[in-house]
Amino acid sequence: MKLGIVGLPNVGKSTLFNSITKAGAESANYPFCTIDPNVGIVTVPDNRLNLLSDYYASKKIIPAAIEFVDIAGLVKGASKGEGLGNQFLATIREVDAIVHVVRCFEDTNIIHVDGSVNPLRDIETINLELIFSDLDVLERRYSKSVKNVKMDKSLTKEVELLKELKDHLESNNMARTLQVDDEEKVAILESLNLLTYKPTIFAANVKEDDLIDDGASNDFVKTVREFAANEGSEVFAICAQIEQEMAELDDDEKKMFLEDLGLSESGLEKLIRASYHLLGLISYLTAGPQETRAWTIKRGTKAPGAAGKIHSDFERGFIRAEVVNYKDLLSVESYAIAKEKAFVRVEGKEYVVQDGDVVLFRFNV
């Protein structure tokens, strides 16, 4: 999974990126301090791996991973080259989802690029730049399709969709809010790789005091949640400053730090949970003496497709899958006993893999 972190300058975007990836992107109280897109890999916390690793005395643990890309602060006119311009918009096109950091706190010591704190205005600024960039892409595709449809009638639906999309975006709407029922049109829409079609998570950057109720008493956060609800986006409250302080702590110290704040999870854990939910992802597990590992798949993936995450040969030569829920496995002394108790099931090609399944694939090529 690849997530792109965007936001206006000085909203806490790079501070957040630094803290969750420990990648050391430059952060300063002035715009454009991030000159190149920074990339950091974050492992997904998953206690199931530790439990299974102890169970099998595995030599190593391989958790699932998320790649974060920190995009330089966007400003009005970015789609036309203002600030650091289109090179960063191009980078966003490569991600699976967008994490939009929105400033939801007042602080006279931190300059706001527009002079005041207004989350909805900030969201609109970023969204308009994404819309303008997508319109450039659509104009070229639409002109080409209109020209070719006279000779190729199979392009009729594409022309219809592109016209709908253009009208939708020109009304300052995001592509992801366009209602499309025709499966063929949906496939075309997904193939366009539009910025405004990408799933979005809003990270409401708040002060420490607002974390205890997840920003519920913060009026700025309330407005962001109302906005996000209308377009089906996720929202979570985070304090980039707190995340930065926690980044310097080891796991035990981090746990104590969170307990002192009255929190059950870090901002990173909130972000990962929101990302998995938004993108419809789950993890199944493989375990044994050599390694215990998490594999991320789309919810609803059938056994052969899940096997293909490990290796294409597993999918191509799929015979069956031996499946046991990790809790059932851990409740007995061994895999053999789990089999005796019928906790282990033999599943075929139509089985839909579930979150927390421990799977052994049988294949032949």
Side-chain angles (χ1 to χ4, degrees), residues 109-138:
N109 295 317
I110 301 177
I111 304 160
H112 190 289
V113 71
D114 286 326
S116 62
V117 178
N118 184 331
L120 293 187
R121 179 199 59 210
D122 294 354
I123 290 171
E124 184 179 288
T125 297
I126 297 291
N127 282 356
L128 283 175
E129 295 311 315
L130 302 184
I131 286 169
F132 293 151
S133 183
D134 278 351
L135 279 170
D136 284 343
V137 171
L138 284 177

Side-chain angles (χ1 to χ4, degrees), residues 198-211:
K198 292 187 181 295
T200 297
I201 303 163
F202 291 100
N205 190 13
V206 300
K207 288 194 169 182
E208 178 185 325
D209 293 345
D210 290 325
L211 279 180

Side-chain angles (χ1 to χ4, degrees), residues 50-248:
N50 299 320
L51 296 172
L52 285 168
S53 177
D54 290 343
Y55 187 84
Y56 280 102
S58 303
K59 291 180 180 177
K60 60 182 176 179
I61 295 175
I62 305 177
I66 297 177
E67 183 175 329
F68 286 96
V69 184
D70 179 31
I71 314 296
L74 297 172
V75 292
K76 289 176 183 175
S79 59
K80 303 300 180 187
E82 292 295 323
L84 294 168
N86 260 329
Q87 58 180 307
F88 295 102
L89 290 171
T91 305
I92 305 172
R93 290 197 188 277
E94 300 169 10
V95 304
D96 299 307
I98 293 172
V99 180
H100 187 160
V101 183
V102 187
R103 179 170 166 176
C104 292
F105 66 90
E106 298 275 10
D107 188 336
T108 55
N109 295 317
I110 301 177
I111 304 160
H112 190 289
V113 71
D114 286 326
S116 62
V117 178
N118 184 331
L120 293 187
R121 179 199 59 210
D122 294 354
I123 290 171
E124 184 179 288
T125 297
I126 297 291
N127 282 356
L128 283 175
E129 295 311 315
L130 302 184
I131 286 169
F132 293 151
S133 183
D134 278 351
L135 279 170
D136 284 343
V137 171
L138 284 177
E139 290 285 359
R140 292 192 293 272
R141 178 79 171 254
Y142 182 65
S143 296
K144 184 178 179 182
S145 296
V146 167
K147 182 179 177 182
N148 292 337
V149 74
K150 296 173 185 176
M151 303 291 293
D152 184 356
K153 296 303 179 185
S154 67
L155 292 173
T156 302
K157 283 193 175 181
E158 179 172 313
V159 171
E160 290 173 1
L161 174 66
L162 293 174
K163 179 65 169 67
E164 287 177 59
L165 259 177
K166 270 170 42 62
D167 292 343
H168 192 69
L169 294 180
E170 285 169 354
S171 298
N172 293 343
N173 296 307
M174 307 297 273
R176 61 179 172 268
T177 64
L178 180 68
Q179 297 297 314
V180 182
D181 298 323
D182 186 296
E183 287 186 10
E184 192 177 333
K185 286 186 177 181
V186 170
I188 296 167
L189 178 55
E190 291 175 347
S191 73
L192 295 171
N193 198 24
L194 297 175
L195 299 173
T196 57
Y197 190 65
K198 292 187 181 295
T200 297
I201 303 163
F202 291 100
N205 190 13
V206 300
K207 288 194 169 182
E208 178 185 325
D209 293 345
D210 290 325
L211 279 180
I212 195 68
D213 65 354
D214 199 34
S217 57
N218 182 311
D219 288 338
F220 291 140
V221 178
K222 288 178 187 174
T223 61
V224 174
R225 285 204 165 105
E226 287 168 7
F227 176 88
N230 290 328
E231 60 167 47
S233 294
E234 295 271 334
V235 182
F236 71 99
I238 193 167
C239 177
Q241 196 60 46
I242 290 295
E243 294 300 311
Q244 189 174 48
E245 291 176 30
M246 280 197 296
E248 307 304 319

